[in-house]
């Protein structure tokens, strides 16, 4: 049985550093699971585009589209399923969940902040705050997921306040979140970069940091583990659905079998009439 191809789906960027960062992440994925076919496709701006990648897969093959995106926005809900439908029936493709929110993502964000100069301690806990910068979406499910990720990161930082903010399409913006934390008395405000690779949104978000700005996640090992986790989840859901379908078909087949009527039992003989001097029980 052929192993379904993991097709990592990046957004794409005009920043020349973006493609090398995503390529390095996929090398981490391959190192964690040797022998797994791993391919790359982009939603826009970079080659190969997702549709082109799917077009090169062998006829009759299977693929799992793993979004290198962090929320259930328009790309995950519409663009990726549309690409999967376009590839059918030549390729059977399914879409995995986005990377966020998840504790592995909070681990990667924490490490990038540490690399940028974050140091835990009483002073940091008392005076610091973090803005979690994400791309943004008009989809409320996506923004809710970013807020949950902010809570996970806050836990990793020992309760330091973390505010979700967005580079586009949603509020608060990164500068607005910085002002809110400043109003709360936080004087050392860092920006955590919830982006897979360098790009315009990541650069704008970092420029708004009053203190330190973490680098995009790139080829972080936790991000590679998370991509494989989403791949495995998608396969498990498919296997569960196929098992349920098989059980349903089996039950329907069993129900369609002819049922023999029960053997006819002779009717009992009629009871003799009561004696004229007996009384029926009351």
């Amino acid at each position: 049985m052929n192993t379904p191809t993991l097709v990592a789906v990046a957004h794409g960027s005009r920043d020349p550093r973006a493609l090398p960062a995503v390529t390095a992440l996929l090398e981490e994925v391959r190192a964690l699971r040797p022998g797994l076919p791993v391919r790359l496709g982009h939603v826009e701006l970079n080659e190969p585009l997702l549709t082109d990648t799917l077009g090169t897969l062998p006829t009759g093959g299977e693929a799992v589209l793993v979004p290198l995106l962090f929320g259930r926005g328009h790309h995950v809900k519409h663009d990726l399923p549309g690409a999967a439908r376009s590839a059918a029936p030549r390729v059977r493709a399914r879409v995995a969940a986005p990377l966020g929110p998840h504790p592995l993502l909070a681990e990667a964000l924490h490490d990038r902040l540490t690399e940028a100069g974050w140091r835990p301690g009483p002073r940091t806990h008392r005076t610091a705050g973090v803005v979690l910068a994400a791309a943004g979406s008009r989809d409320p499910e996506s923004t809710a997921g970013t807020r949950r990720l902010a809570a996970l990161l806050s836990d990793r930082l020992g309760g330091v306040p973390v505010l979700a903010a967005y580079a586009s399409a949603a509020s608060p913006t990164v500068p607005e979140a910085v002002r809110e934390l400043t109003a709360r008395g936080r004087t050392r405000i860092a920006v955590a970069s919830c982006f897979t690779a360098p790009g315009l949104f990541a650069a704008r978000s970092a420029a708004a940091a009053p203190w330190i700005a973490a680098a995009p996640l790139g080829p972080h090992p936790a991000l590679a583990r998370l991509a494989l986790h989403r791949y495995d989840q998608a396969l498990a859901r498919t296997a569960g659905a196929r098992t349920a379908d098989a059980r349903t078909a089996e039950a329907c087949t069993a129900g369609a079998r002819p049922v023999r009527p029960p053997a006819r039992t002779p009717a009992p003989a009629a009871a003799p009439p009561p004696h004229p001097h007996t009384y029926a029980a009351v």
Side-chain angles (χ1 to χ4, degrees):
M1 187 174 180
N2 292 330
T3 301
T5 299
L6 188 161
V7 178
V9 185
H11 183 276
S13 170
R14 293 186 177 88
D15 191 309
R17 299 168 295 170
L19 184 56
V22 174
T23 301
L25 173 59
L26 297 195
E27 288 305 316
E28 287 282 339
V29 172
R30 293 185 181 100
L32 287 172
R33 193 167 299 181
L36 175 67
V38 178
R39 304 286 296 276
L40 173 63
H42 292 90
V43 176
E44 59 183 0
L45 300 177
N46 285 115
E47 294 181 348
L49 294 174
L50 174 58
T51 51
D52 295 335
T53 297
L54 291 175
T56 63
L57 296 181
T59 300
E62 295 189 52
V64 178
L65 312 187
V66 178
L68 302 181
L69 306 167
F70 301 105
R72 289 185 54 79
H74 184 83
H75 293 314
V76 172
K77 288 185 175 180
H78 299 280
D79 293 341
L80 272 62
R85 287 192 298 271
S86 298
R90 195 183 63 79
V91 173
R92 180 185 176 92
R94 70 214 77 171
V95 180
L99 297 181
H102 194 277
L104 282 171
L105 190 50
E107 177 185 332
L109 289 163
H110 178 269
D111 285 354
R112 289 290 186 247
L113 280 170
T114 300
E115 291 166 3
W118 182 274
R119 297 293 180 268
R123 180 167 177 259
T124 298
H125 193 274
R126 205 171 48 250
T127 64
V130 176
V131 175
L132 176 62
S137 170
R138 293 183 179 86
D139 191 308
E141 190 176 358
S142 178
T143 52
T146 307
R147 290 194 298 271
R148 288 196 297 273
L149 179 58
L152 290 173
L153 180 57
S154 177
D155 289 342
R156 297 257 334 173
L157 296 171
V160 169
V162 178
L163 293 185
Y166 309 97
S168 68
S171 60
T173 64
V174 174
E176 287 170 347
V178 168
R179 288 195 291 271
E180 181 175 341
L181 285 171
T182 302
R184 294 185 190 182
R186 298 285 158 168
T187 56
R188 304 168 76 213
I189 301 170
V191 170
S193 184
C194 194
F195 301 98
T196 308
L200 179 63
F201 287 168
R204 284 179 179 172
S205 299
W211 179 33
I212 58 175
L217 300 175
H220 192 285
L223 204 62
R225 298 201 306 273
L226 182 52
L228 286 169
H229 174 64
R230 293 305 193 207
Y231 170 86
D232 292 337
Q233 278 185 321
L235 290 182
R237 281 197 306 270
T238 302
R242 288 176 179 171
T243 300
D245 289 345
R247 287 174 178 168
T248 301
E250 183 181 353
C252 291
T253 302
R257 291 171 185 162
V259 179
R260 294 181 180 178
R264 300 188 65 177
T265 304
H275 192 276
H277 296 296
T278 60
Y279 298 89
V282 175

